[in-house]
């Protein structure tokens, strides 16, 4: 049978190791490494037919405006389209499309075209996601 002091000692030692390890792991990221964050979803609004399906080929991206909302679209496959706010989460600059990513020209933030996640640069938060879908031969977005 072990004495209470030994159990307490082991507990405190294990706690110190856990806290120390957490500190080391958080330090590994450094100040320039973005932490993954879930994209916020724009809520409410009405569905709007935005583009003919033939105007956004599979693998392509496009910048569009609907009801004064600047959007970035990406069609990842025959049946999937993604829509995000074109407003950078760092300082509100207009994000544009590039062949393999969304990029902010102001400070170099890079965003994933399928998730909106910030992948590089000073932006740490993802772009706001808008519900989007393919209906028949058109792309619809809820804004």
């Amino acid at each position: 049978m072990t004495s209470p002091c030994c159990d307490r000692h082991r507990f405190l030692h294990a706690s110190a190791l856990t806290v120390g390890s957490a500190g080391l792991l958080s330090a590994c990221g450094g100040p320039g490494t973005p932490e993954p964050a879930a994209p916020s979803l724009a809520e409410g609004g009405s569905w709007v037919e935005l583009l003919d399906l033939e105007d956004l080929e599979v693998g392509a991206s496009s910048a569009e405006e609907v009801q004064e909302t600047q959007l970035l679209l990406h069609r990842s496959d025959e049946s999937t389209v993604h829509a995000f706010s074109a407003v950078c989460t760092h300082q509100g600059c207009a994000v544009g499309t590039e062949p393999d990513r969304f990029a902010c020209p102001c400070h170099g933030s890079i965003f994933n075209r399928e998730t909106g996640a910030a992948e590089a640069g000073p932006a740490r938060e993802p772009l706001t996601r808008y519900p989007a879908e393919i209906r028949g031969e058109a792309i619809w977005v809820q804004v």
Side-chain angles (χ1 to χ4, degrees):
M1 182 168 177
T2 58
S3 68
C5 72
C6 293
D7 289 341
R8 180 175 181 269
H9 175 73
R10 285 187 186 126
F11 172 78
L12 292 175
H13 180 71
S15 297
L17 288 176
T18 302
V19 171
S21 297
L24 286 174
L25 289 175
S26 66
C28 289
T33 304
E35 294 177 15
S40 60
L41 182 63
E43 295 184 25
S46 57
W47 285 92
V48 176
E49 185 175 346
L50 185 58
L51 287 175
D52 289 338
L53 195 55
E54 65 187 24
D55 293 335
L56 189 64
E57 296 178 10
V58 172
S61 298
S62 175
E64 304 293 332
E65 181 177 347
V66 60
Q67 299 177 358
E68 299 182 20
T69 301
Q70 300 295 318
L71 296 175
L72 299 171
L73 301 176
H74 176 69
R75 187 170 171 201
S76 56
D77 59 42
E78 289 292 332
S79 60
T80 308
V81 64
H82 308 278
F84 301 96
S85 169
V87 177
C88 183
T89 56
H90 175 236
Q91 289 189 341
C93 292
V95 176
T97 63
E98 291 186 357
D100 296 325
R101 60 194 185 176
F102 295 144
C104 180
C106 294
H107 301 105
S109 291
I110 303 299
F111 299 91
N112 183 287
R113 298 181 302 170
E114 294 185 6
T115 66
E119 295 182 336
R124 297 178 69 82
E125 298 298 317
L127 297 172
T128 299
R129 177 184 292 274
Y130 283 81
E133 58 188 48
I134 295 172
R135 296 183 191 171
E137 295 301 313
I139 295 172
W140 290 72
V141 179
Q142 186 179 21
V143 291

